[in-house]
Amino acid sequence: MHGRRLVYLDNAATTQKPKAVMEESRRYYEMLNSNIHRGTHYLARAATEAYEEARGEVARHLNAARPEEVVFTAGTTDGINLVADVLGLTGEIGAGDEVLISTLEHHSNIVPWQMLCERTGAVLRVVPCDEDGVLDTEAYRELLGPRTKVVALTWISNAFGTVVPVREMVGQAREAGAYTLVDAAQAVPHMAVNTGDLGADFLVFSGHKIYANTGIGVLWGRHALLESLPPWRGGGEMIKEVTFEKTTYNQPPFKYEAGTPNIEGALSLAAGLRFVNAIGMEEIHAHEGVLLREAAAEIADIDDIRVYGPADRACSLSFGFPDAHHYDVGTLLDQMGVAVRTGHHCCQPLMARFGVSGTIRASFALYNTHDDVAEFSAALRKALRMVR
Ligand code: PMP
């Protein structure tokens, strides 16, 4: 990058792709390309089988009760919109009811709920966080009540790397009778995720953050809920029978997969999961943790640095300076071959809570190395000498 070895530290935005994933996309188009579910010919059957095997791979990875709990979506945002829209259609959420999210949320886990509130007259409530970017779980318990209809929480903050105790929080939300959704966009790539143990109703993530292609993601949902909730988009594959008078709907997951899905994307996601599982999620989590702690220690003594988020962060290390704009620092780092993200990280309310327009964020993946950390730290010090 600019004549230097790339140090890619923008993994929270998207990951680089391993050969195994790219080869799987190629294999699909060269060897299997066909529309699925509807054909009797060889390729249609083979593509259908590969797509359903990919679903099985996701189900195993998440420890889902059954593959039918895995709905392929376009990504995290798509999955949250699906759930918010469908919950809105139930008629169970009305004026004065509450949807509870947290200060740490990505816009994708804010805006669909705001839209739901606009449509239903429900009120959006927000769990506050402390100066370390840790959620106030006491305030959370106080916010939970009989009017709480939905609790939607991020598991790991993309902006600060805070790991939210979602298991406990989801348990409390269920006791209050609320639907629960976990935004696992940053959790699934960085730790073992077990939907069987989590207790949530819904969990969403994106393929492109776990080494797979863009345009594919997953909504995992409890089977009974996917069965009983209303359908979302209408079209092919989500139907059982159509007459001009009335349509009956297919079983989950097909009920929520209207139209030709991203077949290649699903296969690439399965390849991405095989890639991480060949290494092991525990190993990946431990490796990234070492690099995060190393990076935090490397930059801790820089004058006037403000590091955001708790010390036991995952994935992302976010920081800023009172006298150096994040954009300028990011631009200089780029010229030195270091790719970081600067700005609000799609978390404008969180930035407002901390009184900043943005931060500099270094986010890690399994392929990052100690050399990456050293080069990042050296480049940062050099950039600061130039702008200060
Ligand atoms: N939630 C979180 C926590 C994220 O990090 C992201 C991506 N930055 C999203 C939601 C949105 O994901 P996508 O753009 O893939 O839909």
Side-chain angles (χ1 to χ4, degrees), residues 292-309:
L292 277 163
R293 285 190 291 280
E294 202 171 287
E298 279 276 346
I299 64 173
D301 68 339
I302 297 178
D303 281 349
D304 294 330
I305 191 167
R306 168 78 202 261
V307 178
Y308 299 94

Side-chain angles (χ1 to χ4, degrees), residues 28 34 37 51 70 85 129 159-160 220 239 254 258 284 300 322 350 387:
Y28 170 69
S34 172
H37 292 309
Y51 182 76
V70 172
D85 283 356
C129 73
F160 287 180
W220 167 87
I239 57 96
F254 310 112
I284 292 168
L350 178 64
V387 291

Side-chain angles (χ1 to χ4, degrees), residues 12 76-77 106 108 154 158 183 185-186 206 208-209:
T76 304
T77 307
H106 187 283
S108 293
T154 189
N158 64 305
D183 174 352
Q186 298 297 341
S206 301
H208 69 95
K209 292 177 198 287

Side-chain angles (χ1 to χ4, degrees), residues 322-385:
D323 58 347
H325 197 274
H326 49 80
Y327 181 81
D328 296 337
V329 176
T331 304
L332 289 166
L333 286 175
D334 173 56
Q335 285 165 13
M336 293 181 257
V338 179
V340 295
R341 182 134 309 226
T342 65
H344 55 63
H345 317 297
C346 293
C347 294
Q348 283 183 346
L350 178 64
M351 298 297 125
R353 155 68 180 79
F354 283 83
V356 291
S357 62
T359 72
I360 304 157
R361 181 187 74 186
S363 56
F364 291 81
L366 61 83
Y367 41 63
N368 289 122
T369 62
H370 300 290
D371 282 352
D372 287 348
V373 173
E375 282 176 43
F376 154 70
S377 165
L380 178 61
R381 285 165 195 275
K382 198 167 162 194
L384 288 168
R385 280 198 298 276

Side-chain angles (χ1 to χ4, degrees), residues 3 17 29 109 112 124 150 175-176 233 266 361:
K17 310 308 173 202
Y29 285 121
N109 202 29
L124 191 72
V150 185
E175 270 170 37
R233 293 176 178 150
R361 181 187 74 186

Side-chain angles (χ1 to χ4, degrees), residues 88-127:
L89 292 171
T90 60
E92 292 172 38
I93 301 169
D97 285 335
E98 293 174 1
V99 175
L100 189 49
I101 60 170
S102 89
T103 314
L104 296 172
E105 303 313 321
H106 187 283
H107 295 164
S108 293
N109 202 29
I110 302 173
V111 185
W113 302 115
Q114 277 175 333
M115 291 161 79
L116 172 65
C117 288
E118 268 169 32
R119 283 196 298 271
T120 59
V123 182
L124 191 72
R125 307 294 299 273
V126 183
V127 185

